[in-house]
Amino acid sequence: MQEILAFITNWWQYALIPIISALVGWGTNILALRMTFHPLEFIGIKPFIGWQGIIPAKAAKMASRTVDLMTGRLISVEEVTARLKAERVMKEIEPHLAPMIKEIIAEVAQEHYPRLWPRLPEAIKTRIYERALEDSPKVVEAILQDIQLHIHDLLDLKKMSVDILLRNKKLLNRIFLQCGENEFRFIERSGLFFGFLFGLVQMAVWIYYPVWWLHPLCGFLVGYLTNWLALKMIFRPLRPKQYGPLVVQGLFLQRQQEVSKEYAALITSEVVSAKNIMKAIFMGEASDKLLTIVEKHIQVSADNDPGISTTLFAKATGQKDYNTVKEKIVARLVVSVPGLVDALLNYADEALDLENTMRTRMQELSPEEYETLLRTAFEEDEWKLIVVGAILGIAVGWLQVTLLLGG
């Protein structure tokens, strides 16, 4: 009876308990999410005190794990070039290749023969340009076949992707945030709900057992359990389980079809885009190997070109000088090849069709494989988030003690 009278007299103090508990659950969950992704760079005094978002702090490992799934199960390096067809490649670059060949031949000839070249009839010059271009389809096909044969030497898809994510930690964060948007929203809101429920239990206990340590203890439990429960509900159970009429599955697992679509669109536009792939092949660390391949096939074409070598131009300049000029033309063509990349991008996007390929394969992943996409962001350091929530809960519990016992 005495407890009931105390409750009636101080009802507003008791009513505050579940409200504060709900705010603790909500606040600690929000804090946990913020600490997962922010700040991008370390703030504080190393190595004593400070913080950097868990994902930015472990960007190399997070990026590597994310890319492992992508390159291991969703897309292979062989597919990057196997879908490109030589005839379409030639069609796309021809409008840019013809003026480039003409310009290079004219520039080199003018440099070596400033008096002779301007006097050559335009018909002969035109024939030289046309003959140089005639073999281009064969050269392009040979180069493309060689690239496909040596693609592992020319493109490290994993390294390319990891490097992009390491240079752009915001993008790395965005992958997790965009794919887990609904789940992160659930974590925030569930803290409010679970915190309120725990608060009701705490209030009932406090009415009959008003000891000072109850609130710090309950604050600890609320801060700890709201984070723990939210994470469990996101990832467990992996497969649907039926409990009477109720079918239960981890929230993230339920959205595999939807997330696959968003993830594929984001990754293929920002990471394994045709632009990034072409840039890595033509201008990356292994670009010298590619230029060696290009030079080999252009040189073969030039050496087997009786059309130019028997022209008036070759006879007038002398075979020795002509060979020197030809070598310079080949060298400049090789160096200019990467400039044709932009002309290939639209076709490459269409031919590779990476977004649809990745989406389809991701939708077919097993629950265990699919779970790793988002679980990577939490699995190693989720204990830190839970502990931080628990510590904050204790602090708020002490404030409750002050309010209830001090008032």
Side-chain angles (χ1 to χ4, degrees):
M1 187 65 180
Q2 186 177 357
E3 291 82 2
I4 302 299
L5 290 174
F7 174 77
I8 294 173
T9 304
N10 302 298
W11 65 269
W12 63 273
Q13 292 181 329
Y14 291 95
L16 281 176
I17 294 176
I19 294 174
I20 292 175
S21 182
L23 293 175
V24 169
W26 178 66
T28 54
N29 283 15
I30 288 180
L31 179 64
L33 292 178
R34 296 297 179 270
M35 292 177 69
T36 301
F37 298 100
H38 301 286
L40 290 177
E41 303 298 336
F42 184 87
I43 294 178
I45 303 173
K46 287 186 176 181
F48 304 105
I49 188 170
W51 187 262
Q52 182 180 11
I54 289 174
I55 288 177
K58 295 190 173 182
K61 181 179 287 187
M62 294 293 181
S64 181
R65 288 186 175 183
T66 300
V67 173
D68 280 340
L69 171 66
M70 180 179 68
T71 57
R73 293 287 289 112
L74 305 181
I75 191 74
S76 67
V77 68
E78 289 83 4
E79 289 176 290
V80 170
T81 54
R83 298 178 182 180
L84 297 176
K85 304 303 178 184
E87 59 272 16
R88 274 296 304 275
V89 171
M90 185 62 202
K91 181 180 178 181
E92 297 296 324
I93 67 173
E94 188 171 12
H96 307 273
L97 183 62
M100 184 180 81
I101 289 176
K102 180 178 179 180
E103 181 181 352
I104 289 173
I105 291 175
E107 284 180 356
V108 174
Q110 183 65 36
E111 288 174 11
H112 280 261
Y113 311 106
R115 293 184 180 180
L116 175 61
W117 180 253
R119 296 177 182 177
L120 281 180
E122 286 300 318
I124 293 179
K125 292 182 181 178
T126 300
R127 177 57 186 150
I128 291 173
Y129 301 144
E130 289 176 349
R131 187 64 189 88
L133 192 61
E134 279 177 12
D135 277 347
S136 295
K138 293 181 180 178
V139 174
V140 169
E141 183 175 8
I143 290 173
L144 191 56
Q145 288 176 350
D146 228 348
I147 289 174
Q148 291 168 347
L149 186 63
H150 299 94
I151 187 61
H152 282 283
D153 296 326
L154 300 174
L155 175 64
D156 187 335
L157 194 60
K158 178 176 179 178
K159 185 178 186 304
M160 180 202 81
S161 303
V162 170
D163 286 347
I164 289 172
L165 293 175
L166 287 182
R167 289 195 302 267
N168 190 347
K169 293 176 183 176
K170 282 187 178 180
L171 175 59
L172 184 60
N173 271 355
R174 185 180 161 200
I175 291 172
F176 290 108
L177 286 168
Q178 188 165 320
C179 292
E181 181 181 5
N182 288 13
E183 287 67 37
F184 295 135
R185 192 181 301 120
F186 169 78
I187 289 176
E188 292 183 4
R189 295 174 180 176
S190 67
L192 199 66
F193 175 73
F194 290 137
F196 186 79
L197 291 181
F198 291 142
L200 291 177
V201 175
Q202 181 183 350
M203 181 184 70
V205 174
W206 177 255
I207 291 174
Y208 293 97
Y209 197 62
V211 291
W212 67 269
W213 48 261
L214 177 66
H215 298 297
L217 174 62
C218 289
F220 169 85
L221 293 174
V222 169
Y224 184 97
L225 290 176
T226 52
N227 282 342
W228 182 82
L229 274 174
L231 290 172
K232 285 298 180 184
M233 292 181 69
I234 287 173
F235 297 112
R236 293 294 182 271
L238 281 175
R239 289 179 169 78
K241 288 189 177 181
Q242 189 159 359
Y243 300 93
L246 187 64
V247 178
V248 178
Q249 186 182 19
L251 299 177
F252 185 61
L253 283 303
Q254 294 177 23
R255 294 200 311 121
Q256 184 166 353
Q257 301 300 306
E258 175 189 343
V259 172
S260 297
K261 183 177 180 180
E262 295 177 359
Y263 180 83
L266 177 59
I267 290 295
T268 54
S269 64
E270 301 287 350
V271 183
V272 290
S273 64
K275 181 178 181 179
N276 289 338
I277 290 171
M278 292 297 179
K279 183 179 178 182
I281 293 176
F282 283 87
M283 288 167 270
E285 294 179 3
S287 59
D288 56 331
K289 296 179 182 178
L290 173 67
L291 294 183
T292 299
I293 291 173
V294 172
E295 182 178 17
K296 177 182 71 174
H297 292 289
I298 292 179
Q299 188 67 58
V300 168
S301 176
D303 291 341
N304 295 332
D305 181 5
I308 296 179
S309 59
T310 56
T311 61
L312 177 62
F313 175 63
K315 292 178 180 179
T317 59
Q319 189 65 35
K320 183 177 180 181
D321 287 341
Y322 172 72
N323 287 337
T324 301
V325 171
K326 187 172 66 173
E327 288 174 4
K328 285 197 173 183
I329 290 173
V330 169
R332 292 199 185 183
L333 276 172
V334 171
V335 173
S336 301
V337 164
L340 300 172
V341 170
D342 287 344
L344 285 172
L345 293 182
N346 288 336
Y347 166 60
D349 274 326
E350 171 194 329
L352 298 180
D353 196 24
L354 294 176
E355 182 177 344
N356 286 329
T357 299
M358 188 170 290
R359 184 194 69 243
T360 301
R361 290 178 183 173
M362 188 170 172
Q363 289 173 340
E364 295 170 351
L365 289 177
S366 69
E368 289 81 5
E369 292 171 318
Y370 171 71
E371 178 203 22
T372 62
L373 177 65
L374 190 61
R375 187 67 173 173
T376 300
F378 295 104
E379 59 184 349
E380 282 191 8
D381 294 283
E382 66 181 46
W383 67 270
K384 294 180 182 178
L385 305 178
I386 294 173
V387 167
V388 167
I391 293 172
L392 183 59
I394 291 174
V396 175
W398 278 106
L399 290 178
Q400 284 182 292
V401 171
T402 302
L403 178 65
L404 292 172
L405 297 182

